[in-house]
Each structure stands twice: as structure tokens, then as C-alpha cells.
Amino acid sequence: MMNILEHVGIENYLTLSALLFCIGAFGLLYRRNAIIMFMSIEIMLNAVNLLLVAFSSYHEDPSGQVFVFFTMAVAAAEVAVGLAILVSVFRNIGNIDIDNLKNLKG
């Protein structure tokens, strides 16, 4: 079976990953909605995972793909905890705007 990188090229994966990372960084910096910020962080994480898989295939070493598998499992747990915190904040405050969260004191 021919390697997919022979047809597509690793430069295209680098470009796509950089584009996804920039979109995620833009969403994280310029949006004030907590859910949009979580989605932006996930887009950035997926961009890094795409690069790990591309370089793992390029060097024919499966350890990068195994690392991506564990990273995705940790990201799923992070999203579950983050959404639970957002639901708790929404029940107490009534909205999830980040600017309103600065008034919380512990």
C-alpha cells in the first residue's frame, strides 16, 4: 500500500494544521462566549494532533499516533469537566459570558 504522504505531501498537512491553529487562536482571543472558547481550544488541539499523525506517518513510527490517541482521551475528559463547570456557572449566574465570571470569588 502506498503511503498517503506520497500523494498529498507533508507541506499540505503543515499548511492545514497552521490554518486550523490560527482559526482556533483567533476564536480564543476574540470571542467572549465560553463555549466558543472551548471549541477554539479543541480546534487548536486537533491541529496539533494532525501534525503529530502526519509526522508519525512521514517517519513511519506509530508512537505519534498512539500519543494522539491518549491526547484525544484526555481532551474528551477536559471537555466533560469544562462543560460541567459551565453548567454550574450558568445555574448560579444565568449566563456564561466570560466578562461576568470575573466577579466570582471563592
Side-chain angles (χ1 to χ4, degrees):
M1 184 171 146
M2 295 184 69
N3 193 356
I4 191 73
L5 287 174
E6 293 175 5
H7 295 291
V8 178
I10 199 162
E11 297 86 13
N12 293 327
Y13 285 106
L14 288 170
T15 305
L16 177 63
S17 180
L19 181 67
L20 285 174
F21 195 86
C22 289
I23 289 171
F26 179 78
L28 186 65
L29 293 174
Y30 291 110
R31 298 299 295 237
R32 301 306 328 161
N33 189 349
I35 294 176
I36 300 293
M37 292 175 78
F38 270 126
M39 289 189 331
S40 297
I41 290 171
E42 289 298 318
I43 288 174
M44 292 168 61
L45 182 66
N46 285 332
V48 172
N49 285 340
L50 177 66
L51 270 183
L52 277 172
V53 169
F55 282 124
S56 175
S57 294
Y58 181 73
H59 293 294
E60 296 177 357
D61 183 22
S63 62
Q65 295 173 7
V66 172
F67 189 70
V68 166
F69 177 74
F70 287 115
T71 304
M72 297 282 270
V74 170
E78 173 242 336
V79 167
V81 170
L83 288 177
I85 290 171
L86 284 178
V87 167
S88 175
V89 166
F90 181 76
R91 286 182 181 171
N92 290 329
I93 295 177
N95 62 9
I96 53 173
D97 190 25
I98 298 299
D99 292 329
N100 294 336
L101 296 181
K102 64 183 175 187
N103 298 329
L104 293 177
K105 295 187 177 155

